[in-house]
Structure formats: structure tokens, C-alpha cells
């Protein structure tokens, strides 16, 4: 696997303004669309790999179709494996806080082997105060581990599943764990440490879609989870984004975790997401993540 340089491989110049030492940057002067010049797209990709999450303010012109068209420039798009999509779109998920809010730390859709490489999120209705999203750098978290913990992490494999109790809001008064029991069930074994497919960096793939470490009992798994998760979510390893309507966030899902903050009461909050799938995760020993359980119709 050949690592790519963080330096732009094209002559496109972007107005990039870093937001925090660990990750995050605003990109100014770009109007997102499906017909951006290839040089601009490549420069955006390089910025995503360098800063892990990038933000575009004021993209009020962007509708569902435009969001999908832009996301498609980053790679083939695909719907979420279990969630419904917005009518009239190919892949877009609508997140209305009155129904669901992902107020827990996670990397998107790690309960399947080909989980997303990129996520593209657009602010549609934003509360007047609160409802920020926080991202954490899982590459920096791995680098901060003492050498002995890195060696342990390199060997660990974890079971990720959507069949578990998620912390967070209820949906229309129905506990989330009850709703999730009605979804198709997936279980995937993921190496804790994965080699980034484009940068060659090592990242910790964990978060609250995790259930347990392979070969360890529940109590030990919980202790190890809290140990590694603490490195990921340290404040100095995060960036916080205050949303406005029309904002777009694009992140490297293979190098981050994120969490929406549930601090805005009954105010409306709606965001819409497009996913760009990746290849199965690859561990430091070359073994790849594998889905062990999937809906019967897909397994046939």
C-alpha cells in the first residue's frame, strides 16, 4: 500500500483555515456542486485527508440532488444498509432530532466491513443555540498511545454491531434499542487499529457501535474500550462545529469519530447525510475486517 502525500497534487489553491491543532478546517471560496473542476476536487480530497474534517459555510444553493452530485465526486455513493432514504433521492438520510439524534461517539456504520470512507453532512434546519457536532482524530489518538498500548492495540479485534442499546434520545417516545431490534442485524469483526487506505496512517476504529473485543469477556472488553476511547475523545484531540443552515461538513470516516450534542431542548434540528463507501478495513497484520452476520436475504 502506497501512502499519498498531504501536499496537493494539483495546481488548485484553496483558502483553507485550520480550526484546531488536532483536526478540522474551514474551506472558503468554493461553491459545492457536481461539476467542480477535477483539480478542485483533488485539492478538497487532500484537505480532508490532512485535516480529517472540513467545513463549507453558506452552501444555501445545495439541495438533495446537489449534495449527492458533490459527494459522488469523492467516490461512488450508496445508501445506509438499514436506514430509510429521503424520497426522490438515491442515498440521502434525513436526521430529524425529534426522531433520532446520534449523541454518542461513533465512526459511521462500522457494523459492516465496507463502512464509509467519507461522510457528507448538510445543515438543513439548525436550532438557534446548541446542536453542535464534535469530531475526534483517531489517528492522533493512536499516536498518543504509549508504545506498549500501541502494541496491544495492534493485536486487538473487536465485534461491531447495530444490534445493541445506543445511548441518546428516544424516537417519538420509543426507546432506541427497541427500534433497533426491528432493523436488519449486522455483526462485523474489525481490527482495532486499521491502516488508512490512502494515507497509510494508523487509526483506532472504535466508538459506541462496538460491542466487545474478540477473545475477551464483557468486563475486560469494557475496561479496554474505556481505556482506548479516552485517548480518542480527549478535548485537545477534538474540534467542535457550530452549525448554521447551509453548512456542509465532509469528514474522513476512517480517521475520525464524531458526536452530535443533545443540548438544544425541543428546538428543531435537521441534517442530511450522504455516504461514500470504502473497502474493508485492513489491520496492521494485513487481515481485513469481515462481516460475520448480515440479513438472510443478503447472505443468500
Amino acid at each position: 500500500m502506497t501512502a499519498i502525500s498531504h501536499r496537493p497534487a494539483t495546481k488548485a489553491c484553496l483558502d483553507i483555515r485550520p480550526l484546531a491543532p488536532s483536526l478540522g478546517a474551514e474551506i472558503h471560496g468554493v461553491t459545492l456542486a457536481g461539476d467542480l473542476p477535477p483539480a478542485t476536487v483533488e485539492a478538497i480530497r487532500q484537505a480532508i485527508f490532512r485535516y480529517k474534517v472540513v467545513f463549507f459555510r453558506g452552501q444555501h444553493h445545495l439541495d438533495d440532488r446537489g449534495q449527492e452530485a458533490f459527494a459522488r465526486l469523492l467516490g461512488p455513493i450508496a445508501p445506509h444498509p438499514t436506514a430509510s432514504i429521503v424520497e426522490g433521492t438515491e442515498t440521502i438520510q434525513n436526521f430529524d432530532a425529534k426522531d433520532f439524534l446520534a449523541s454518542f461517539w461513533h465512526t459511521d456504520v462500522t457494523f459492516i466491513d465496507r463502512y464509509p470512507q467519507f461522510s457528507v453532512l448538510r445543515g438543513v434546519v439548525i436550532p438557534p443555540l446548541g446542536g453542535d457536532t464534535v469530531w475526534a482524530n483517531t489517528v492522533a489518538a493512536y499516536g498518543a498511545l504509549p508504545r506498549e498500548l500501541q502494541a496491544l492495540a495492534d493485536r486487538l479485534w473487536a465485534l461491531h454491531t447495530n444490534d445493541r442499546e445506543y445511548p441518546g434520545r428516544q424516537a417519538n417516545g420509543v426507546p432506541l434499542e427497541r427500534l433497533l431490534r426491528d432493523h436488519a442485524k449486522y455483526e462485523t469483526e474489525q481490527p482495532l487499529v486499521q491502516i488508512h487506505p490512502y494515507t497509510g496512517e494508523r487509526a483506532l476504529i472504535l466508538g459506541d457501535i462496538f460491542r466487545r473485543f474478540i477473545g475477551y469477556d464483557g468486563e475486560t472488553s469494557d475496561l479496554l474500550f474505556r481505556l482506548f476511547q479516552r485517548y480518542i475523545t480527549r478535548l485537545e484531540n477534538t474540534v467542535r462545529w457550530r452549525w448554521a443552515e447551509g453548512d456542509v461538513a465532509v469528514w474522513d470516516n476512517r480517521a475520525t469519530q464524531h458526536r452530535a450534542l443533545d443540548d438544544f431542548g425541543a428546538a428543531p434540528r435537521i441534517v442530511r447525510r450522504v455516504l461514500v463507501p470504502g473497502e474493508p478495513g485492513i489491520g496492521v497484520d494485513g487481515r481485513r475486517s469481515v462481516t460475520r452476520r448480515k440479513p438472510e436475504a443478503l447472505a443468500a
Side-chain angles (χ1 to χ4, degrees):
M1 181 176 299
T2 301
I4 65 171
S5 170
H6 289 319
R7 293 173 295 182
T10 73
K11 295 181 179 180
C13 293
L14 299 180
D15 180 2
I16 299 175
R17 306 177 191 181
L19 295 173
S22 182
L23 78 166
E26 286 189 48
I27 298 180
H28 292 256
V30 175
T31 300
L32 298 180
D35 59 354
L36 290 176
T40 300
V41 175
E42 180 59 22
I44 291 172
R45 285 171 59 90
Q46 293 285 347
I48 298 168
F49 293 142
R50 178 174 181 178
Y51 296 103
K52 314 307 182 192
V53 55
V54 298
F55 305 97
F56 302 85
R57 287 282 192 193
Q59 305 292 313
H60 300 287
H61 65 284
L62 211 61
D63 57 10
D64 293 340
R65 181 171 296 182
Q67 184 179 356
E68 287 186 318
F70 165 69
R72 199 176 284 110
L73 297 177
L74 300 174
I77 61 176
H80 189 281
T82 63
S84 60
I85 64 172
V86 174
E87 184 177 356
T89 72
E90 295 181 47
T91 65
I92 285 185
Q93 288 177 267
N94 186 69
F95 293 100
D96 188 330
K98 68 179 174 57
D99 297 323
F100 177 74
L101 183 73
S103 190
F104 49 90
W105 283 107
H106 64 288
T107 294
D108 283 335
V109 203
T110 55
F111 57 83
I112 62 174
D113 53 0
R114 296 176 181 269
Y115 66 101
Q117 178 65 58
F118 302 110
S119 294
V120 181
L121 192 66
R122 173 170 57 102
V124 179
V125 178
I126 302 301
L129 190 65
D132 299 356
T133 303
V134 186
W135 281 262
N137 186 336
T138 60
V139 171
Y142 176 83
L145 293 174
R147 185 174 302 175
E148 293 80 3
L149 284 181
Q150 286 183 345
L152 172 61
D154 288 346
R155 298 192 300 269
L156 289 174
W157 280 67
L159 183 69
H160 291 235
T161 177
N162 63 329
D163 184 18
R164 58 156 294 156
E165 294 185 6
Y166 287 94
R169 290 189 172 192
Q170 296 186 343
N172 295 322
V174 180
L176 292 179
E177 59 268 23
R178 178 176 160 190
L179 290 177
L180 288 165
R181 282 197 294 269
D182 295 332
H183 285 179
K185 304 301 191 298
Y186 287 83
E187 291 184 351
T188 294
E189 294 180 5
Q190 299 276 8
L192 172 59
V193 179
Q194 297 188 14
I195 307 299
H196 192 284
Y198 294 102
T199 69
E201 298 170 314
R202 295 188 181 191
L204 296 173
I205 306 301
L206 203 55
D208 282 338
I209 298 177
F210 163 93
R211 169 166 283 182
R212 62 178 173 82
F213 285 108
I214 307 300
Y216 291 83
D217 61 29
E219 183 177 2
T220 305
S221 290
D222 183 59
L223 290 171
L224 289 171
F225 171 82
R226 286 189 280 123
L227 171 64
F228 290 114
Q229 191 68 14
R230 182 174 63 86
Y231 277 89
I232 294 170
T233 59
R234 292 188 304 181
L235 285 179
E236 60 268 32
N237 193 41
T238 65
V239 67
R240 179 168 174 165
W241 183 249
R242 174 73 183 102
W243 288 95
E245 292 180 8
D247 288 355
V248 174
V250 186
W251 62 94
D252 184 348
N253 194 54
R254 300 295 178 110
T256 56
Q257 286 185 23
H258 60 283
R259 174 181 182 176
L261 300 184
D262 188 0
D263 60 354
F264 52 96
R269 182 186 189 273
I270 299 173
V271 294
R272 290 190 166 185
R273 184 180 68 181
V274 179
L275 301 174
V276 179
E279 295 300 314
I282 183 168
V284 298
D285 61 358
R287 291 189 294 154
R288 294 185 176 272
S289 56
V290 58
T291 297
R292 298 296 187 189
R293 178 184 181 187
K294 62 178 67 174
E296 291 183 5
L298 296 178

